[in-house]
Amino acid sequence: MENQNVYLKPVTLKNILKFAVPTIAMTVFMSFYTMVDGLFVSNLIGTNALSAINLTAPIIQLVTAISTMFATGGSAVIMKKMGEQKSEEAKEDFTFLILVNVLVGMIMCGLGYLVMDSVFAGMNLSADVEKYCVEYLSCYLLFTVPILLMNNFTLYMIASEKATLSLVCSVAGGVLNMVLDYVFIAGFHMGISGAAIATGLGYSVTAIVGLFVFSKKKSLLHFKRPVFRFKVLVNAATNGCSEMATALVTGIITMMFNWTMLHYVGENGVAAVTIIMYVLMFVSSLYTGYSYGVAPMVSFYYGEQNHQKLRKLVGISLKVMACISVVTVIASFLCTKPLVSIFARPDNPVYSLAVTGNQICTIALFFIGFNIFASGMFTALSNGVVSAVLAFSRSFVFMLITMMVLPIVLGVNGIWLATPVAELMALALSICMFLKYKKKYGY
C-alpha cells in the first residue's frame, strides 16, 4: 500500500528522521505554547496566577491521563494489527476507541467540576491564588472532550503517515492560542479565564481537523462501523497504562512539589517550580516527540517479526537520544538566566529561586531521554506491564523517595536535586529491563 511505503523503506537515520521530525516539531511546539501561556499569565496578570496554573496541573493531568492511555496503547494495538495485515479489524478498533474516549471525556469533565472546590479549599492557599485556581480550571474543563480527541488524533495521524498534518494542526492551534491569550487577557481583560479558554480553543484545532481527516476512506486509518471487542479495550489499556501512570503520577509529584515548596518557601516557591517545569517540559518534548514518532515503526516491525529492522531502529534511536541529551544539557545551562527572566524579573524573589533550581534540575536531562524512549519502546512492543513498571518507578516511586529524603537533608536544594537523582535511578532500571528483554524481542 502507498501509505505504508515508509514502513517498507530501509531503516536509516534519514528515513527515521523523515518520519519522526514532524512529530518532534509538533511536541516541541505544543510545549512551547504552553510556556507562552505562562509567559502571558506571569507578565499580564502576575506570579500568583502563574502559581495557580501549576496548582491546577494535578487535576488536569488526571483528566488527560486516560486519554493518553488509550491513545498510546491503542496506537500500538492497531498498528500491530496493520503489520499483521488485519487492516479492516484495525479500523473498527480505531473507531471504537475514539468513541470510548469521548465517553471518558464527558465523565472526567463532570468529575472535575465536582471535586475542584474541595481540592483547592484544602490547600491553605491565599484567597487570591485560590480564586485564580477555580477560575482557570472551570474554563479549562469545558474543553475536556476536544482535548482528549486531540491527544488521540495526534498519535493516529502519525501512525497514518500524516505526521506533517499533525504538525500543521499543532502549529495552527499554538498560534491561535498565543493570539487569543493576548486578545482575551490584554484586550478583553478576561484574566486567567481568558488564558484557559485560549488554551482550550488552541487544542481543539487538532480535534476538529481529525474528525474530518479520519472520516475520509482514503486515509490509512478511517472511521468505520465500530465493533465492541473487550479484548481490544483491555489491550489498549494495558499497553498504554505506563503513559497513563506517567500522567497520573506527574500530577501527584507536581502536587508534592507544590506542597513542599509551600512549606519551605511559600507561594513564590510554587511559581519557581512552574518555571522549572516549563523548561523541563520543553526539553523533554524532544524525547517524547521522537519516541512517539518511531513508535508506529517499532509496532509494525514487531508485528511483521522483522527483527533486523527492529534492531537497527532501536540502535539508531539510542544514539539519537544520546546526542539530544548532550546538546540540551549544554543549552539549558547556558540559557538559564535568560529563560527565567522571561517569566520573572531579577528583582522578583521568584527569579533567584528559579535560576538555582534550573541549574540543578538540568542534570536530569542526561537521563530523561533514555527513560522516555525505553518506556515508549515497550509500549510499542505491546508489553504494557514493563512499560508501566518503568514509567511508574521513574515518575512516582523514585521521585517519592527523593522528595521525602533530600529536602530534609539539603533543604530547598534537595527539592531541586530530587529530579536528577530519581531519573538516574530510573535509568538503571531501564537498562536492566532493556537487557532482560533484548533476546525476546530481537532488538
Side-chain angles (χ1 to χ4, degrees):
M1 293 175 63
E2 183 64 26
N3 283 329
Q4 290 180 306
N5 280 347
V6 67
Y7 299 106
L8 303 178
K9 291 179 180 178
V11 178
T12 63
L13 178 62
K14 181 179 178 181
N15 287 336
I16 293 172
L17 291 181
K18 278 184 180 179
F19 199 70
V21 163
T23 313
I24 297 171
M26 175 196 66
T27 53
V28 167
F29 192 82
M30 287 176 69
S31 68
F32 174 72
Y33 74 71
T34 301
M35 291 176 66
V36 170
D37 265 353
L39 175 64
F40 277 111
V41 168
S42 61
N43 285 279
L44 297 178
I45 305 176
T47 51
N48 276 349
L50 185 63
S51 298
I53 289 181
N54 194 19
L55 289 165
T56 62
I59 297 178
I60 290 173
Q61 291 290 347
L62 177 64
V63 169
T64 58
I66 295 179
S67 75
T68 303
M69 173 184 69
F70 285 127
T72 55
S75 176
V77 170
I78 289 168
M79 291 313 298
K80 183 172 181 289
K81 285 191 176 183
M82 295 294 285
E84 294 169 343
Q85 306 302 316
K86 299 176 181 177
S87 59
E88 295 306 306
E89 190 175 318
K91 292 166 191 172
E92 293 168 352
D93 294 341
F94 161 68
T95 309
F96 166 61
L97 290 175
I98 292 298
L99 292 175
V100 169
N101 271 271
V102 172
L103 178 61
V104 168
M106 295 169 67
I107 294 171
M108 296 301 291
C109 178
L111 289 175
Y113 279 110
L114 286 175
V115 304
M116 68 176 172
D117 286 330
S118 57
V119 168
F120 297 131
M123 284 187 178
N124 262 343
L125 304 172
S126 65
D128 196 27
V129 173
E130 184 177 340
K131 176 173 170 287
Y132 283 138
C133 288
V134 173
E135 285 183 10
Y136 185 83
L137 193 60
S138 295
C139 294
Y140 190 96
L141 287 173
L142 294 172
F143 297 93
T144 304
V145 171
I147 289 170
L148 267 61
L149 289 177
M150 180 274 296
N151 286 338
N152 280 265
F153 288 153
T154 293
L155 291 189
Y156 286 121
M157 284 181 187
I158 296 166
S160 299
E161 211 178 330
K162 298 181 185 297
T164 302
L165 176 61
S166 185
L167 170 61
V168 170
C169 290
S170 297
V171 171
V175 171
L176 179 64
N177 181 21
M178 288 184 253
V179 171
L180 292 181
D181 265 332
Y182 183 79
V183 171
F184 290 161
I185 299 174
F188 294 162
H189 305 290
M190 294 172 64
I192 200 168
S193 297
I197 294 171
T199 299
L201 291 174
Y203 284 150
S204 298
V205 171
T206 301
I208 294 169
V209 173
L211 289 172
F212 284 102
V213 167
F214 293 115
S215 296
K216 297 180 179 179
K217 292 186 177 181
K218 65 180 181 180
S219 175
L220 180 63
L221 287 176
H222 57 258
F223 295 131
K224 190 176 181 179
R225 183 184 293 275
V227 176
F228 178 83
R229 294 185 180 94
F230 184 72
K231 185 178 179 181
V232 169
L233 190 61
V234 171
N235 287 343
T238 303
N239 289 332
C241 64
S242 63
E243 281 71 20
M244 182 188 72
T246 300
L248 283 175
V249 300
T250 298
I252 295 170
I253 294 300
T254 300
M255 191 161 52
M256 286 181 58
F257 264 110
N258 292 339
W259 284 343
T260 309
M261 271 299 183
L262 284 170
H263 174 72
Y264 280 90
V265 184
E267 290 172 354
N268 285 335
V270 176
V273 167
T274 309
I275 296 170
I276 303 307
M277 285 187 171
Y278 282 148
V279 175
L280 287 176
M281 177 184 63
F282 182 76
V283 177
S284 295
S285 66
L286 291 168
Y287 310 128
T288 304
Y290 182 87
S291 297
Y292 281 171
V294 300
M297 299 175 74
V298 173
S299 298
F300 190 92
Y301 297 147
Y302 173 56
E304 194 180 40
Q305 290 296 294
N306 193 327
H307 298 296
Q308 182 180 0
K309 282 190 172 182
L310 183 59
R311 185 163 47 248
K312 194 167 184 181
L313 174 62
V314 172
I316 293 174
S317 296
L318 292 176
K319 293 175 184 176
V320 170
M321 291 292 106
C323 291
I324 296 176
S325 297
V326 173
V327 172
T328 53
V329 167
I330 294 172
S332 184
F333 269 120
L334 293 177
C335 299
T336 290
K337 290 184 178 179
L339 280 172
V340 174
S341 65
I342 294 173
F343 298 92
R345 293 181 179 138
D347 58 346
N348 191 319
V350 172
Y351 177 83
S352 58
L353 281 169
V355 167
T356 302
N358 190 68
Q359 289 172 338
I360 296 173
C361 283
T362 290
I363 301 169
L365 299 180
F366 278 120
F367 320 121
I368 291 176
F370 295 103
N371 293 329
I372 289 175
F373 177 75
S375 179
M377 181 188 75
F378 281 109
T379 297
L381 291 170
S382 295
N383 194 332
V385 174
V386 171
S387 184
V389 168
L390 292 176
F392 187 73
S393 299
R394 168 190 171 235
S395 302
F396 184 71
V397 176
F398 298 144
M399 281 299 300
L400 183 63
I401 294 170
T402 55
M403 280 292 293
M404 289 177 66
V405 175
L406 294 180
I408 296 174
V409 179
L410 301 172
V412 175
N413 285 342
I415 301 174
W416 302 127
L417 194 59
T419 300
V421 174
E423 291 291 347
L424 179 59
M425 294 165 70
L427 178 63
L429 180 60
S430 295
I431 293 172
C432 289
M433 291 296 184
F434 187 89
L435 295 176
K436 180 179 179 180
Y437 289 94
K438 185 173 183 180
K439 185 175 180 180
K440 176 179 179 179
Y441 294 110
Y443 51 69

